[in-house]
Amino acid sequence: MGPQNFTFAADPVPQSYGNIIMKPEGAKPVIFSHWVHRLRYTCRVCHFELQINFKAGTTGITMEDNVEGKYCGACHNGKTAFGIEHCSRCHNGGVGPGKKEFAKKTGGLPPAIHGNGIDWNQAMEENLIKPVDYLITKPDKFQFDRALTLKAAWDYVPSAVFPHKAHNRWLDCNNCHPDIFDIKNRTEKQNRMESYFKGEFCGVCHGKVAFPLKDCGRCHLGMGNWR
Amino acid sequence: MKKIMMAAFAVLILSGAAFAADARFSGTGKPGGAGSGPEEREWINEFNDVCSATTASMALSKDELNSHIRSADALKGRLGCLEDSAKKVYSRRLRMCHDMYEFALDAKVKEDKK
């Protein structure tokens, strides 16, 4: 199997990329829009400090937790963000922000071909957005920026480059290590494109929230994009 | 009469909601729900000391990493006494921090062997 055999899903409209719909029992479905939140907070805040799992619907968030100031309730308390008493703003049946709101809030950010159509990393690098990276405890300054070169399985595909620095703008080291990438278990053997399509390794984020896998050239430098 | 009854009902509902909101927002003290009592402050301070260094874990020495691992182990039992919501959040994060330091330590040991 080679990259010519890969099939990619069609791009959703930019404002829906990264939207998650959760279906709690006995209540209307909840919409969670990643782009709305990442304009203000890094992934680290929710997926590390607040301990919301990467896989949607697996954290077991209850309204009691939110009332206690955990999970969504850490910000949605009527002070930092609208309070959880405004039920229908999240439990709205799964309707995300529309095209107009998206254009208003993201206008002027550097473009990308796929996903939200925004190069979020460049936006942060150019200080066009300044998402907060902690709520509770200021993390120590990140000091590891080694770029890894990962040889592709096929000779005609350029190696992928993994920049730690670009990822640590958004994430804590702990988000990936050791749960997703663990040198102890020699997981690099399974670290292949096929696994990403199943939502493993890089596929935990890329293809769901971070730029999709069809944006080949962003990792395999020098390679074109799948259009 | 009907209007008066409706108004009284509305006042009752609103005061109930205000009471509930007050209880809700004064109960936890800070985002994430860490309490404000001396005992809680003590564990949350220790927790923050242990878990704030994960972003710099590759820059820590082996001794520092071992020290964080020991601190995380020591703190683990104390989190068991927290109420459910706090236990759920902090225990998992502590486990992640612990594993991160072990991961960094393994990486350093491997690098030294090369």
Side-chain angles (χ1 to χ4, degrees):
Chain A
M1 187 176 176
Q4 69 276 8
N5 303 110
F6 294 159
T7 48
F8 296 102
D11 283 328
V13 288
Q15 67 270 21
S16 327
Y17 186 71
N19 282 3
I20 304 286
I21 298 173
M22 286 155 281
K23 295 176 179 169
E25 257 180 56
K28 273 191 170 181
V30 176
I31 184 78
F32 176 86
S33 174
H34 270 98
W35 69 261
V36 169
H37 290 82
R38 76 187 296 183
L39 284 166
R40 294 177 180 215
Y41 298 95
T42 63
C43 319
R44 182 188 185 276
V45 170
C46 300
H47 293 297
F48 181 62
E49 272 202 317
L50 302 180
Q51 285 295 302
I52 297 174
N53 293 345
F54 280 137
K55 192 168 170 57
T58 63
T59 311
I61 301 172
T62 64
M63 283 312 284
E64 287 77 18
D65 293 331
N66 289 331
V67 169
E68 282 291 321
K70 307 293 184 306
Y71 305 120
C72 316
C75 291
H76 287 283
N77 54 15
K79 292 173 188 166
T80 308
F82 65 82
I84 55 170
E85 65 274 20
H86 298 283
C87 314
S88 62
R89 291 190 67 172
C90 299
H91 289 272
N92 70 358
V95 183
K99 194 177 174 181
K100 265 190 190 171
E101 194 182 340
F102 180 75
K104 190 177 156 192
K105 290 187 173 162
T106 64
L109 296 182
I113 297 170
H114 299 294
N116 294 123
I118 294 165
D119 187 331
W120 291 101
N121 256 320
Q122 201 184 332
M124 208 206 257
E125 201 168 283
E126 291 176 8
N127 276 326
L128 297 170
I129 53 169
K130 292 173 185 165
V132 172
D133 74 343
Y134 73 98
L135 289 181
I136 303 160
T137 313
K138 190 175 181 179
D140 286 356
K141 200 173 180 293
F142 171 68
Q143 298 177 50
F144 190 77
D145 60 0
R146 188 184 299 165
L148 307 177
T149 303
L150 309 165
K151 197 177 177 325
W154 310 282
D155 290 340
Y156 53 92
V157 174
S159 296
V161 174
F162 174 85
H164 271 98
K165 195 176 177 181
H167 290 80
N168 278 284
R169 286 195 186 109
W170 295 97
L171 296 155
D172 196 284
C173 312
N174 219 170
N175 281 122
C176 302
H177 301 299
D179 287 357
I180 301 172
F181 295 95
D182 185 0
I183 47 168
K184 210 186 217 171
N185 291 328
R186 310 294 299 166
T187 45
E188 59 263 46
K189 279 183 186 164
Q190 292 88 45
N191 183 1
R192 300 173 57 89
M193 286 300 293
E194 288 88 341
S195 305
Y196 304 167
F197 288 117
K198 291 183 216 157
E200 296 164 5
F201 301 103
C202 309
V204 170
C205 300
H206 288 283
K208 292 173 186 160
V209 177
F211 64 79
L213 300 169
K214 64 167 99 175
D215 220 342
C216 318
R218 290 184 68 177
C219 300
H220 295 277
L221 305 179
M223 195 175 178
N225 287 301
W226 204 284
R227 287 173 192 259
Chain B
M1 185 64 185
K2 197 178 171 185
K3 276 185 182 171
I4 294 169
M5 280 181 71
M6 280 176 69
F9 184 67
V11 168
L12 203 67
I13 293 285
L14 284 173
S15 55
F19 176 76
D22 187 49
R24 174 189 307 162
F25 296 127
S26 62
T28 56
K30 66 186 280 193
S36 53
E39 273 183 28
E40 285 160 307
R41 269 199 302 272
E42 203 178 301
W43 77 256
I44 194 73
N45 287 341
E46 282 180 40
F47 179 90
N48 288 337
D49 282 345
V50 174
C51 284
S52 62
T54 50
T55 47
S57 47
M58 287 305 282
L60 299 177
S61 68
K62 282 190 266 182
D63 284 346
E64 285 169 321
L65 289 167
N66 272 317
S67 162
H68 281 313
I69 292 167
R70 280 196 300 273
S71 302
D73 283 335
L75 198 53
K76 196 175 159 187
R78 294 173 63 192
L79 299 190
C81 312
L82 299 177
E83 47 89 15
D84 284 349
S85 285
K87 190 161 61 183
K88 194 161 64 173
V89 173
Y90 289 105
S91 298
R92 185 169 177 269
R93 191 169 151 202
L94 185 70
R95 195 271 301 161
M96 283 175 76
C97 296
H98 174 276
D99 292 354
M100 179 68 219
Y101 298 130
E102 273 198 337
F103 174 84
L105 191 62
D106 282 345
K108 280 177 185 286
V109 169
K110 275 190 181 169
E111 259 184 17
D112 287 352
K113 279 182 185 169
K114 276 182 186 172

